[in-house]
Amino acid sequence: MQCERCNKKKATVFYRENINGRVKALRLCGDCAEVMEEAGELEDMSTVLSGAHSPLFAFTGTGCPIPLWGDAADSSKKTCPTCGESLARAAERGRLGCPACYTAFSSELAAPLRVFHGRATHTGRVSAGFRARKEAERRLSELRERLRAAVAAEEFEQAAAMRDEIRRLEATL
Amino acid sequence: MSWYHIPGNQQDTVVCTCVRLSRNLAAYPFPARLDAVAAKEIIGQVGAVLERSGFIPTDFSEISRKGAESLAEKRFVSLRFARESLPHALFLNDPCNLSVAVCEEDHIRIRCILSGLALADAYEGAAKVEALLDGALELAFDEKMGYLTASPAHIGTAMEASVILSLPLLAESGRAEGLIRHAEQTGLSLRGLSGGGQGHIGGLFCLTNRMTLGVREEEILEAMESAVQLLTTTERGLRSGLRGEEYDRITDRVRRAEGVLRHAHLLSATEAVELLGLMRLGAAMGISRGVRVELLTALLTEAMPATLTVGIEPPPKTRTDEDILRAKLVRERIFGDT
Ligand SMILES: [Zn+2]
Ligand SMILES: [Zn+2]
């Protein structure tokens, strides 16, 4: 019997997953059981019922016990150049290594993200810090453009003022 | 004082509301790939901002495991966080309704938790703390993907709103299944607190949003709000529709629950949750008189294993000792007896 989560290793642990009273048996390898347990995705109902833990802990799982990636990720040798996380390991854990992983694995992530969320583009709150950096970048490129024009027109006094402004902006980024 | 001591909106059916915003720092790997030095750096940076705004830090290396688990029972952190070995910290505000967990699954998890139904207020509370941090730290944010989180399941708004509901009649009516499916179709998840496949403990349910990408925070809150209304109206309809024998049977169960809570010598955590749920129903239906519902909410936390026994010297040695303590606490709190 193979592990029902990774479909690779031999299943050694038998778990009962309990969602809304629908009990589902899960056969897992030791690694997958550990990953899911850590993430709070498996609730050992016997400890809940015996009162060893607060019954309210049964609510702390994420309710998303499916790995997000398909088979393609497993055979990939790709790694994130920023943190070194491999695509295969990230897919197995359902967690990425660092923010830059999203860029590194963007093509592999696109389809599962669409399936999970149903959408592909963020529409909510925008980080104020991000907005400020964007605005500074926009202003910088505009200034650089005007600086070139000023130099071409031999308006050196204005050009000097722009150079100062550019230096000041660059320091904030 | 803590969030659970304060009376909330629609307490007849809603226990509490929590809005969680997950944020990460752009310059560091996610906590699972973080070393202790970097984790301490992050705690320092986040802590500096929060302590300026009056948040009080908890150093997990200085509290017992039980103390840490108690913080999880109060819903300030996840259970896994309470047991984490990597340096991690929790910052709490004074009325204890805002918490910031640093180096949980994500670098920063801001939670606002309020009694009763309070989705808009809980979001506003969490968003205010987020704004403090957003101004001072560079957060991992992408125009297309939104806030970047360790799990791709949370990107976008990186917001998880949850409402814990007390729906004992609905749980027994056989209509729960259909409502669970309905919630799933609207991008939400409704889960019952179930005991090994047989019924729902204390009639408790947890409603959360599942999708976070491509929906605005306000849309998530609206969807949650209307799902809550559907669930609570259904439950209230079942309550007011009880006639004759049915009403007597419920009245009897409520009174028996009261009797057990008043006289039991041993009380397990699960039994306490079950009976407190029936008492909440009794209070809402006017069967039990003079019960303060917020007291029942508080006991859902205070009578739980870690919170009940933390700081008690000597600590209870057996489960029986713990159950005696619980029975005593519940008796004192609800009925004022000793
Ligand atoms: Zn496996
Ligand atoms: Zn990475």
Side-chain angles (χ1 to χ4, degrees), chain A residues 80-85 96-102 104-105, chain B residues 29 33:
Chain A
C80 167
T82 307
C83 71
E85 182 73 304
L96 295 175
C98 78
C101 285
Y102 280 99
F105 306 142
Chain B
R33 286 191 72 87

Side-chain angles (χ1 to χ4, degrees), chain A residues 70-139:
Chain A
D71 302 335
D74 293 350
S75 51
S76 168
K77 293 272 179 292
K78 217 172 189 179
T79 56
C80 167
T82 307
C83 71
E85 182 73 304
S86 73
L87 177 60
R89 188 168 173 277
E92 191 185 335
R93 299 185 67 88
R95 308 278 185 275
L96 295 175
C98 78
C101 285
Y102 280 99
T103 317
F105 306 142
S106 64
S107 54
E108 290 83 1
L109 272 168
L113 279 178
R114 225 182 1 260
V115 170
F116 185 83
H117 293 284
R119 320 266 172 91
T121 308
H122 177 59
T123 53
R125 194 180 172 92
V126 173
S127 158
F130 173 84
R131 223 183 301 132
R133 280 191 299 282
K134 268 266 146 167
E135 174 56 23
E137 276 165 20
R138 194 195 56 75
R139 175 119 181 83

Side-chain angles (χ1 to χ4, degrees), chain B residues 166-177:
Chain B
S166 174
L167 311 167
L169 294 191
L170 196 151
E172 290 168 13
S173 70
R175 292 172 72 175
E177 279 286 311

Side-chain angles (χ1 to χ4, degrees), chain A residues 3-10 28-33 92:
Chain A
C3 168
E4 289 177 83
R5 184 168 176 273
C6 65
N7 285 319
K8 280 187 303 206
K9 279 164 256 174
K10 196 167 167 289
L28 301 172
C29 70
D31 289 349
C32 287
E92 191 185 335

